[in-house]
């Protein structure tokens, strides 16, 4: 039994896309949770749901201007994120992947931060009035875009690095076909989840026009498998952008949040997201689009034709 235990490395997405804090902190913790959950027969989706309750509990703690409750909130958010790591690692251990799991995973993180946003707004309302709610709504919109595009670019990178089996990249055309096959009467919940996921993917695609064109040309010329020469070249150009996708994910924003609440100025967290993280978002998107435009030109010039394996 011990000999068949999956290694920590086998539960990681890739060394290209893993962040330093994740590799040395969250992934080892998540791995141990995943091993325990595997023994207990707990599903990845159940772990995700548990993380929702823990993360929302964290948000509630940040409402109070109390050091010990603030520290408890920090601890709970770290715990919730270790479960968020564990659900993906458990899914890779047990091969339990699903569209529901992907949607639920994103939904969990959104609920954590919605509760945090609400707690901060309620805490600051007596001083700021309704302006703090307006600031939170604007910040929340850009937060969702930052996380969404970071997730999208990581999965694009993984697609060309590891192929379809190692990526969760989807497209609206295929999702729309699946959605049409489902009916609200017979498949209500599945269709509801797929509808939300379809809209989520549609939003990602609307911010990546050059990638959509590049991907379309690749498929028309080479089918489902891009030439190895192209995949190597794409990974080389995409790899430097992975550090920005990681900054726009959980760890950096969590550190900013922890600092803001510990110094009792939680509004600074909103400012950090709006200013610093939005600058990184714009830079990341522009770099990725510029990179894809260059590849479009190279493909059309026939640079990768000789190396095609199709």
């Amino acid at each position: 039994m011990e000999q068949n235990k999956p290694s920590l490395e086998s539960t990681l997405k890739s060394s290209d896309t893993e962040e330093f804090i994740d590799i040395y902190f969250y992934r080892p913790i998540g791995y141990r949770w995943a091993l325990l959950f595997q023994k207990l027969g707990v599903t990845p989706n159940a772990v995700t749901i548990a993380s929702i309750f823990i993360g929302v509990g964290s948000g509630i703690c940040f409402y109070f201007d109390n050091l010990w409750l603030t520290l408890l909130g920090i601890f709970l958010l770290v715990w919730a994120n270790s479960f968020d790591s564990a659900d993906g690692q458990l899914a890779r251990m047990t091969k339990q992947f699903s569209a529901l799991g992907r949607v639920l995973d994103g939904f969990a993180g959104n609920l954590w931060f919605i509760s945090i946003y609400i707690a901060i707004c309620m805490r600051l309302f007596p001083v700021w009035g309704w302006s703090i709610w307006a600031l939170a709504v604007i910040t929340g919109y850009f937060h969702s875009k930052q996380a969404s595009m970071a997730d999208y670019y990581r999965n694009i990178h993984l697609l060309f690095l590891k192929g379809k089996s190692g990526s969760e990249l989807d497209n609206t055309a295929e999702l729309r076909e699946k959605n049409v096959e489902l009916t609200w009467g017979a498949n209500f919940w599945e269709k509801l989840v797929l509808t939300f996921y379809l809209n989520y993917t549609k939003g990602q695609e609307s911010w990546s026009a050059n990638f959509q064109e590049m991907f379309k040309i690749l498929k028309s010329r080479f089918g489902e498998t891009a030439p190895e020469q192209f995949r190597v070249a794409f990974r080389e150009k995409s790899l430097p952008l992975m550090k920005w996708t990681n900054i726009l994910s959980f760890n950096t924003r969590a550190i900013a949040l922890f600092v803001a609440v510990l110094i009792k100025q939680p509004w600074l967290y909103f400012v950090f997201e709006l200013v610093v993280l939005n600058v990184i978002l714009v830079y990341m998107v522009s770099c990725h689009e510029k990179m894809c435009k260059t590849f479009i030109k190279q493909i059309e010039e026939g640079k990768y034709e000789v190396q095609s394996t199709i």
Side-chain angles (χ1 to χ4, degrees), residues 131-171:
S131 60
I132 192 63
W133 289 96
L135 180 62
V137 169
I138 296 169
T139 304
Y141 170 79
F142 285 107
H143 177 146
S144 68
K145 290 299 180 183
Q146 293 158 9
S148 172
M149 293 312 297
D151 176 67
Y152 195 56
Y153 289 150
R154 275 199 302 269
N155 278 303
I156 289 172
H157 186 87
L158 288 169
L159 177 67
F160 292 111
L161 175 67
K162 304 178 76 172
K164 275 192 170 184
S165 62
S167 171
E168 296 176 332
L169 187 71
D170 287 302
N171 64 80

Side-chain angles (χ1 to χ4, degrees), residues 229-248:
Q229 183 187 9
F230 174 85
R231 293 173 60 185
V232 171
F234 188 92
R235 175 185 178 272
E236 181 183 346
K237 297 296 183 183
S238 173
L239 185 58
L241 296 179
M242 292 303 101
K243 64 177 175 291
W244 304 119
T245 67
N246 286 329
I247 290 174
L248 291 177

Side-chain angles (χ1 to χ4, degrees), residues 8 57 63 72 93 106 118 145 171 249 254 269:
L8 170 60
Y63 166 73
L72 176 60
M93 281 181 184
I118 292 173
K145 290 299 180 183
N171 64 80
S249 299
Y269 171 64

Side-chain angles (χ1 to χ4, degrees), residues 235-297:
R235 175 185 178 272
E236 181 183 346
K237 297 296 183 183
S238 173
L239 185 58
L241 296 179
M242 292 303 101
K243 64 177 175 291
W244 304 119
T245 67
N246 286 329
I247 290 174
L248 291 177
S249 299
F250 176 81
N251 292 327
T252 301
R253 73 177 72 244
I255 291 170
L257 171 66
F258 297 160
V259 171
V261 293
L262 283 171
I263 65 173
K264 300 191 176 185
Q265 300 294 334
W267 60 272
L268 285 174
Y269 171 64
F270 292 158
V271 174
F272 176 80
E273 287 199 300
L274 276 178
V275 178
V276 178
L277 296 190
N278 269 348
V279 168
I280 292 174
L281 172 65
V282 171
Y283 176 76
M284 180 184 72
V285 171
S286 63
C287 285
H288 201 275
E289 286 290 277
K290 183 178 178 181
M291 175 185 73
C292 291
K293 189 174 182 178
T294 301
F295 278 120
I296 289 170
K297 183 179 178 182

Side-chain angles (χ1 to χ4, degrees), residues 1-12 27-28 30-39 88-95:
M1 184 72 178
E2 198 65 26
Q3 292 179 343
N4 296 327
K5 184 174 75 171
S7 65
L8 170 60
E9 290 72 20
S10 70
T11 67
L12 304 180
R27 298 307 183 214
Y31 172 67
R32 286 165 176 77
W33 279 122
L35 289 175
L36 174 62
F37 293 140
Q38 184 183 35
K39 288 181 180 179
Q89 290 172 277
L90 181 62
R92 284 184 282 277
M93 281 181 184
T94 58
K95 310 300 180 187

Side-chain angles (χ1 to χ4, degrees), residues 111-123:
L111 284 180
W112 303 349
F113 281 96
I114 286 172
S115 71
I116 290 168
Y117 276 44
I118 292 173
I120 291 175
C121 287
M122 291 178 66
R123 176 172 169 176

